[in-house]
Amino acid sequence: MKKLSTKIITILALCIALNIVGSNIALLLKLPIYLDTIGTILAASLAGPVGGITVGALTSIIVGLTTDLFSLYYLPVQLIVGLIAGIVYSHYAADTFKKLWWLAIIISLPATLVSSAITLFLFHGITSSGSAIIVQILAKLGLSKGLAVFLVQVGTDYLDRLVAIYVVSLVYKALKSRISLGVTKY
């Protein structure tokens, strides 16, 4: 196993902090997006799947124990985002603006399936997120709870990952030319 440098540990810690700040902003403002995977995707783009998974897991645990208990239940979503983003970014450069919409689909779809199941089966569509309001409105308009949860998750997860990938592409472009992390991507 390769020894982690101080530089990579610092970058991963900053990515966790970015996720925590983003998730708390989204929670406080009841935004219909989550802003809790920007750091996960950034870590995955710089340090591969292991970096993304590590940041995602630690984010869910820290946020779940401090500000939003729901975050603990969505830990599998963070793991999937970190894994898929790490795999995707090992094949495509993170500063590729032309592929943002496509990368968001690839990264968000597997996580959306898992987050929809968690939201529906564990919480019956009601979570701490602002998207829960949209689920309730759609359910009151006659959609089944399952369909309402899935449609909202598809839309909000995609938008959330699109925002995250856009931010990551800007940061990645600025960081990649300035630092060498010395991390082998898997």
Side-chain angles (χ1 to χ4, degrees):
M1 185 170 166
K2 190 171 184 171
K3 184 178 175 186
L4 290 176
S5 69
T6 303
K7 194 182 301 184
I8 192 64
I9 292 170
T10 303
I11 293 288
L12 295 179
L14 288 171
C15 289
I16 293 168
L18 182 60
N19 279 351
I20 292 169
V21 169
S23 69
N24 282 311
I25 288 170
L27 182 66
L28 178 68
L29 299 177
K30 291 289 185 200
L31 297 176
I33 60 174
Y34 317 105
L35 303 177
D36 63 346
T37 58
I38 297 171
T40 303
I41 295 171
L42 180 59
S45 74
L46 295 170
V50 173
I53 288 169
T54 302
V55 167
L58 291 172
T59 296
S60 284
I61 292 167
I62 293 167
V63 172
L65 294 175
T66 57
T67 57
D68 186 15
L69 184 61
F70 286 92
S71 183
L72 287 173
Y73 295 97
Y74 289 93
L75 189 140
V77 175
Q78 283 276 9
L79 298 177
I80 291 168
V81 168
L83 175 66
I84 301 296
I87 292 168
V88 167
Y89 280 118
S90 68
H91 297 294
Y92 300 99
D95 60 351
T96 307
F97 284 98
K98 298 173 196 167
K99 298 178 181 160
L100 293 179
W101 66 271
W102 182 80
L103 293 174
I105 290 171
I106 297 298
I107 294 170
S108 67
L109 191 57
T112 296
L113 297 173
V114 173
S115 64
S116 295
I118 292 168
T119 302
L120 182 62
F121 297 117
L122 290 181
F123 304 115
H124 305 287
I126 301 171
T127 64
S128 59
S129 168
S131 64
I133 296 166
I134 302 168
V135 169
Q136 297 308 308
I137 290 170
L138 291 176
K140 291 291 183 193
L141 291 174
L143 287 175
S144 71
K145 182 89 52 146
L147 182 58
V149 166
F150 181 72
L151 290 175
V152 169
Q153 285 297 142
V154 166
T156 57
D157 283 359
Y158 177 75
L159 183 59
D160 182 68
R161 298 316 160 351
L162 188 61
V163 167
I165 290 167
Y166 179 74
V167 170
V168 167
S169 65
L170 294 174
V171 172
Y172 185 90
K173 188 174 183 178
L175 283 180
K176 200 63 175 175
S177 64
R178 293 191 176 118
I179 62 172
S180 171
L181 297 176
V183 174
T184 303
K185 292 185 181 183
Y186 301 93

